[in-house]
Amino acid sequence: MEAKAYARFQRVSTRKTRPVADLIRGKKVEEALAILKFTPNKGAEILYKTIKSAASNAEENHGHTDASRMVVAEDRVDSGPAMKRFTPRAYGRASLIRKPTSHITVVLAD
């Protein structure tokens, strides 16, 4: 049985979030949440919430009595669209600032 949760259009870079996702892949839910709780990274907080959501989905939708025994089977961090902003530069020019977004997918399995 699988339970999924998505966090889309999150304002965090995929480059900074993927190493955090690699830390928890294959771990039990309780262990993964403990690791993420003490990881000082913005992506860790988003992954923490997404795993909690997937565990709640498992209990509510699929009838699991204890989702904490499940394993993080897949956690994928894909890039979303970049927000584009401009900042003024010398001689009346403008410079592009890209603010990346991420799509995070978490799949829990037995």
Side-chain angles (χ1 to χ4, degrees):
M1 187 63 66
E2 288 185 343
K4 294 182 183 180
Y6 302 99
R8 301 186 68 217
F9 301 103
Q10 297 298 310
R11 260 293 288 123
V12 64
S13 166
T14 57
R15 188 174 175 182
K16 294 177 182 179
T17 309
R18 281 185 182 137
V20 179
D22 292 340
L23 287 174
I24 60 168
R25 193 172 296 121
K27 303 246 187 328
K28 289 190 173 189
V29 171
E30 289 179 342
E31 187 179 352
L33 291 175
I35 289 170
L36 291 174
K37 189 168 187 146
F38 297 106
T39 304
N41 189 320
K42 184 178 179 181
E45 183 180 341
I46 297 168
L47 275 166
Y48 183 89
K49 290 180 179 181
T50 310
I51 289 176
K52 291 276 281 189
S53 176
S56 295
N57 289 343
E59 289 175 358
E60 187 67 28
N61 299 337
H62 301 296
H64 283 283
T65 56
D66 190 16
S68 61
R69 285 191 251 156
M70 297 181 85
V71 175
V72 179
E74 179 184 352
D75 56 343
R76 197 171 57 231
V77 181
D78 299 322
S79 60
M83 295 191 307
K84 293 178 179 146
R85 302 291 182 260
F86 293 96
T87 187
R89 302 302 280 209
Y91 299 104
R93 295 186 178 122
S95 201
L96 180 67
I97 296 175
R98 297 181 74 246
K99 298 189 175 216
T101 61
S102 298
H103 298 320
I104 297 172
T105 305
V106 173
V107 178
L108 303 180
D110 287 335

